[in-house]
Amino acid sequence: MTVKLRNVSLLARLLGATGFILLLMYPLATSLFITSELRLYRDLVADQASATLKALTNSVGEQAVIGDYTTIEQVLKARVDHKPFVAFTFTDPYGGKVRTRSDPPPLHSPAWFSRMLALSDESIEHDVVLGGVNYGKLQARISHTPFINQA
């Protein structure tokens, strides 16, 4: 049974065409919005991580010079509970490590949504160098779970 367009009113044809266009545009607009938000979030986290590691490198470096690993642990513990960080590791040139971590936040969003966003935990590293002398490496682990839960 075919419907001839001549038998359908102009209003029905306009409403049908509008509905069809909206049906096609909604997924496209949603996709573009999510993509732009992800790009903005990644840039924001990269800037925040870079600034935090730079500040921590100076604080940790001062303590590494004098070998005060207890203070290094306290400095890292004070920062590890701030989003998006879940762990910090300082490794001295001889292989000694100071590790701090917080409990990873639970994931509240559906698994398919997490896979769609494609945000996995990542680690970034920064050398601790003061006065041209390498005192070790500072590594930060970043969890994107709070952002995924919020989205």
Side-chain angles (χ1 to χ4, degrees), residues 44-57 85 124 126 142:
L44 180 68
V45 166
D47 290 345
Q48 180 184 5
S50 176
T52 300
L53 271 186
K54 194 175 205 178
L56 279 177
T57 298
F85 303 103
I124 55 173
H126 199 276
I142 297 172

Side-chain angles (χ1 to χ4, degrees), residues 13-110:
R13 284 185 276 171
L14 288 174
L15 286 175
T18 303
F20 182 72
I21 289 171
L22 287 176
L23 189 65
L24 291 177
M25 293 305 292
Y26 180 76
L28 177 65
T30 303
S31 173
L32 290 173
F33 176 74
I34 289 174
T35 302
S36 69
E37 285 295 311
L38 279 174
R39 187 176 308 118
L40 178 66
Y41 170 74
R42 283 188 175 120
D43 291 344
L44 180 68
V45 166
D47 290 345
Q48 180 184 5
S50 176
T52 300
L53 271 186
K54 194 175 205 178
L56 279 177
T57 298
N58 292 334
S59 299
V60 167
E62 291 170 2
Q63 301 309 315
V65 168
I66 59 175
D68 190 358
Y69 290 90
T70 305
T71 304
I72 291 173
E73 185 177 12
Q74 290 172 354
V75 167
L76 296 179
K77 276 185 181 178
R79 190 62 186 123
V80 77
D81 289 327
H82 298 274
K83 294 177 189 176
F85 303 103
V86 292
F88 285 105
T89 303
F90 170 71
T91 307
D92 68 16
Y94 307 107
K97 294 184 185 265
V98 176
R99 292 184 180 147
T100 60
R101 58 188 310 215
S102 65
D103 294 329
L107 184 63
H108 299 297
S109 64

